[in-house]
Amino acid sequence: RKNMSQNGKPQIVEKRGINPIWFFPVAAVGIGMWLLYSTLMARGSYITIDFKNADGIIPGKTTVIYKGTVVGQVKGTELGKNLQSVAVHVEMSQQMKGFLSKDSKFWLVSPTVNLSGISGLSTIISGKFINMHPAKGKMQKRFSAIEEVPRTLRSDGVYLNLNANKLGSISIGSPIYYNKIQVGEVTNYDLDLDDN
């Protein structure tokens, strides 16, 4: 800014302060940092679940369910190094971060037909999904899927181990009767390697 001095000559006076034009770049950087922070905070946790096979698991479609609510989604699959398993990569929701510990369980839900009826009917429309049982503790990023619902999550009852020479027509879900009244069902079976 120019001012006239007492002798009539122009006098140059420097203007103090910040030029308003710098407001826009500073505001843009601030908004960018806030958006980046918001994105990182909203982003979920990535975990890997090892399955024996990935039959019916589709990246971008198969979800992880807890209590009927979607808490994760499969992002990709790849064969394990020994070709004996499939690594399923999953993005879990932000709210599950504190519940991905060594005690968390994952299993694949698919429709099954047995003598006692049909289970997993919801998967006929929506496709197979991964069910989970969360557990608080130190976070873990790799899990091994289990084959069936853990006993602790089933209805209360007495669990018995029965030995037989042959399996016959028994399958998972086969009813157990007493006086023509169903009093239980088969939850699992395996080969008794200790029987000689």
Side-chain angles (χ1 to χ4, degrees):
R1 188 173 66 180
K2 293 183 179 179
N3 288 338
M4 298 300 290
S5 64
Q6 291 178 353
N7 59 9
K9 292 183 179 180
Q11 183 180 8
I12 298 174
V13 179
E14 291 185 11
K15 188 176 179 181
R16 302 279 181 185
I18 299 173
N19 193 331
I21 196 138
W22 285 105
F23 171 77
F24 297 103
V26 170
V29 169
I31 291 171
M33 294 294 286
W34 179 77
L35 288 173
L36 179 63
Y37 174 78
S38 299
T39 302
L40 290 175
M41 290 304 292
R43 186 177 167 187
S45 303
Y46 282 88
I47 64 170
T48 300
I49 308 170
D50 294 316
F51 286 86
K52 286 186 177 178
N53 67 68
D55 182 34
I57 298 177
I58 304 169
K61 183 179 178 184
T62 304
T63 55
V64 178
I65 304 287
Y66 175 62
K67 290 193 172 181
T69 303
V70 176
V71 294
Q73 187 173 52
V74 174
K75 294 298 182 181
T77 60
E78 64 177 328
L79 285 171
K81 291 180 180 178
N82 57 5
L83 304 182
Q84 299 299 311
S85 63
V86 178
V88 176
H89 305 294
V90 179
E91 181 182 6
M92 300 296 292
S93 67
Q94 172 75 15
Q95 67 188 93
M96 300 307 290
K97 274 190 175 179
F99 299 92
L100 297 170
S101 71
K102 64 181 179 63
D103 295 321
S104 299
K105 308 292 183 190
F106 297 87
W107 64 95
L108 189 64
V109 177
S110 56
T112 56
V113 180
N114 51 48
L115 296 174
S116 62
I118 302 173
S119 63
L121 278 174
S122 60
T123 61
I124 294 174
I125 297 171
S126 62
K128 293 182 180 180
F129 62 88
I130 299 168
N131 214 336
M132 82 167 292
H133 173 65
K136 275 190 172 184
K138 185 179 178 182
M139 185 170 174
Q140 183 172 305
K141 291 197 172 266
R142 189 125 200 170
F143 301 88
S144 292
I146 57 177
E147 295 295 315
E148 59 181 22
V149 182
R151 286 185 179 181
T152 54
L153 301 183
R154 295 186 181 133
S155 57
D156 293 335
V158 177
Y159 288 88
L160 304 171
N161 290 324
L162 303 176
N163 293 323
N165 293 329
K166 295 179 181 178
L167 184 63
S169 60
I170 295 173
S171 62
I172 294 175
S174 293
I176 298 171
Y177 293 99
Y178 176 72
N179 285 343
K180 297 185 179 179
I181 298 174
Q182 184 174 348
V183 293
E185 68 176 34
V186 176
T187 59
N188 195 14
Y189 58 84
D190 53 25
L191 188 62
D192 187 357
L193 299 176
D194 295 329
D195 188 18
N196 292 323

